Structures are given as structure tokens and as C-alpha cells.
Amino acid sequence: MRLRRLSAAVFLGGLTVCFISLLISCSSVTRTMVAPPEIPGAAYVGNQACYDCHTNITRNFLGSAHGRLHFEGAKLSGQSGCESCHGPGSKHIGAGGGRGKFIANPGKDPSNCFQCHLQIRAEFNLPQHHPVLEQRMNCVQCHDPHGLDIFKPAGGLAMARLNQGCSECHREQTRPFVFEHEALREGCTVCHNPHGSINRKLLTQSDPNLCLRCHAQVQHGSTGQIYIGYTDHTMMLRQGACWSAGCHTAVHGSNVHPRMLY
């Protein structure tokens, strides 16, 4: 019996090592751009050529997730991370730089981002989505493609950073509340898919299923009554879901009611 336990421990330990190794390899893998932007007549020059004008961006970019991108067709394979998203830079440099001169700008045209982020491209085609394809928004409003953290960082408390990108537009929903919805501490994406969803308001699940992931619904066997928390919801559930029934209407937080009824 002791030998079996030892063998099981060794097996589980081996699985743990393999899992950790897999995580490390995935996080440090060098990724390849399938189809970089085309700049007619331009040649690849490598990241170092970008350094003179874009010093701060280039310095931080080397440690970012996108910094490991390269295009194998470039002459400087493995050193053309910038050009994987912006296209070959020789004509841009020859023209003395300048915004949009012989260079692709993924911040204005998301098609360059979608070359790699195919799943995100599909989500933007769902019925409810942020208007990126309609060119009323762009990816860099929420993401920093050059930084160590792909989500744009914020000053102040770390908890505020989770929702900072959303608060730029949705200020009413992310403002401080006396009685806050604890889910906001984990971030807006706990309930919403920011790219697209089949549910209204970009919700990850339909109304009742979403709330019941945290607020467990329990049925008492003897009486058949349905409780959520310490409150009998048997009759209330017939009126609809948590906020569509007109009950918990202040779903993001309330300044006057601890159960966010208004």
C-alpha cells in the first residue's frame, strides 16, 4: 500500500512538472506572423532601426508578448517584430517618418490584428459587439500592443485597473458605490464579453444563469420553496430574472440599498 502511494505521488509530481513546463514553453514561444502588412517597394530593416524615433516604445516592446512575433520571410528573421504588425519599414524611414507614411497602423485598421487573433475576429461578428468592425472603435483603445501588460495600465489601486478600460466610456457603471457589487472587484469581464456575445449587453450568459453562478439557488425539500441567500424567491422567480423582473435593477452597485434593489 505504501509503495502504491509513493508511485502515485511520483506520477502526480511528474504531471505537475510537465504542466509547469508546458506553461513556461507557451509563454516564451516565438510566434510567427502568417501574413504581415504589405508596403509596396519597402524592405524589412529590423527593430533596431525603429529605436531612434520610437525609443520608449521599442525598449518596452522587447519584453512584451508581441515582441516575440517575427516574419520568417524577412531578411532579418527574428528581429522584425515591429514590422510583423506595421509592415516593412525602409520607405517609412526613407521618408523621414511621419504618422501613416508608408507604414501600416493597426490602431486604425484592425484587420492586421485579426491576422493572429482569429477568435476575436469571430466574436466581433456576433449580434452584440463593440463597433470595431464599423470603425467607431479600435483595438488600442483597450489594449497596449507594445507594453508588458497587454491591458492598458492605470495609476492608483490595482482593483481600479481591472475596469479602467471600460470606465473610459461606461463611467456610470464603474463609478464608486456605497454598496458595491462584489463582482466588479474581479472586473467587468466576469459578466461581459467585451468583444462580442449572443446575449444582450454583451453578457457571457443569459440573465438567470449568469447570476446563479455566484448566487446559489437552493430548493428546500420539505416545502419546495426556492431560496437565494436567506430570502425566499419562490414567488419572485415567476416574475422573471434578477433584474429583468424589476428587482435588482442597480446591478452594478447602489448608494441606498445593500441588495441593490434601486
Side-chain angles (χ1 to χ4, degrees), residues 179-229:
F179 303 103
E180 65 175 354
H181 190 177
E182 289 85 349
L184 285 175
R185 300 178 188 176
E186 301 181 46
C188 302
T189 55
V190 172
C191 298
H192 302 277
N193 186 334
H195 300 115
S197 174
I198 60 173
N199 304 310
R200 65 190 185 92
K201 299 184 183 297
L202 300 177
L203 293 173
T204 57
Q205 295 187 37
S206 59
D207 294 359
N209 292 330
L210 181 62
C211 300
L212 294 177
R213 290 191 305 177
C214 297
H215 304 279
Q217 177 177 293
V218 179
Q219 183 173 2
H220 285 208
S222 58
T223 62
Q225 293 174 305
I226 298 175
Y227 278 79
I228 299 178

Side-chain angles (χ1 to χ4, degrees), residues 27 101 166 175 178 201 203 258:
S27 63
K101 287 187 177 180
C166 305
R175 63 187 175 90
V178 175
K201 299 184 183 297
L203 293 173

Side-chain angles (χ1 to χ4, degrees), residues 163 166 170-185 187-188 191-192 201 203 210 243 248-255 257 259-262:
N163 300 332
C166 305
H170 305 282
R171 297 184 180 181
E172 179 64 24
Q173 288 77 16
T174 54
R175 63 187 175 90
F177 294 102
V178 175
F179 303 103
E180 65 175 354
H181 190 177
E182 289 85 349
L184 285 175
R185 300 178 188 176
C188 302
C191 298
H192 302 277
K201 299 184 183 297
L203 293 173
L210 181 62
W243 68 85
H248 302 280
T249 54
V251 66
H252 296 100
S254 173
N255 290 326
H257 200 284
R259 294 183 181 177
M260 288 167 275
L261 295 182
Y262 43 82

Side-chain angles (χ1 to χ4, degrees), residues 62-243:
L62 295 176
S64 70
H66 285 140
R68 293 189 290 273
L69 283 168
H70 73 276
F71 173 47
E72 292 184 351
K75 294 182 179 179
L76 298 175
S77 179
Q79 301 179 37
S80 54
C82 299
E83 295 166 300
S84 294
C85 297
H86 293 286
S90 63
K91 294 188 69 173
H92 177 70
I93 295 174
R99 189 178 298 273
K101 287 187 177 180
F102 302 107
I103 204 74
N105 186 353
K108 293 184 177 180
D109 183 7
S111 61
N112 293 329
C113 303
F114 295 150
Q115 289 290 336
C116 293
H117 301 284
L118 301 178
Q119 175 65 29
I120 305 302
R121 175 67 173 84
E123 291 177 357
F124 278 124
N125 281 314
L126 293 174
Q128 304 292 323
H129 60 269
H130 274 114
V132 171
L133 300 182
E134 293 80 2
Q135 296 185 348
R136 298 206 302 271
M137 289 184 65
N138 58 61
C139 301
V140 299
Q141 286 180 245
C142 301
H143 301 286
D144 180 6
H146 307 111
L148 302 179
D149 186 350
I150 197 66
F151 293 102
K152 286 193 171 182
L157 296 176
M159 288 192 299
R161 195 197 73 80
L162 292 171
N163 300 332
Q164 189 218 14
C166 305
S167 66
E168 293 293 327
C169 299
H170 305 282
R171 297 184 180 181
E172 179 64 24
Q173 288 77 16
T174 54
R175 63 187 175 90
F177 294 102
V178 175
F179 303 103
E180 65 175 354
H181 190 177
E182 289 85 349
L184 285 175
R185 300 178 188 176
E186 301 181 46
C188 302
T189 55
V190 172
C191 298
H192 302 277
N193 186 334
H195 300 115
S197 174
I198 60 173
N199 304 310
R200 65 190 185 92
K201 299 184 183 297
L202 300 177
L203 293 173
T204 57
Q205 295 187 37
S206 59
D207 294 359
N209 292 330
L210 181 62
C211 300
L212 294 177
R213 290 191 305 177
C214 297
H215 304 279
Q217 177 177 293
V218 179
Q219 183 173 2
H220 285 208
S222 58
T223 62
Q225 293 174 305
I226 298 175
Y227 278 79
I228 299 178
Y230 297 102
T231 305
D232 183 1
H233 280 71
T234 307
M235 300 301 295
M236 301 175 189
L237 289 174
R238 298 179 183 179
Q239 303 175 28
C242 305
W243 68 85

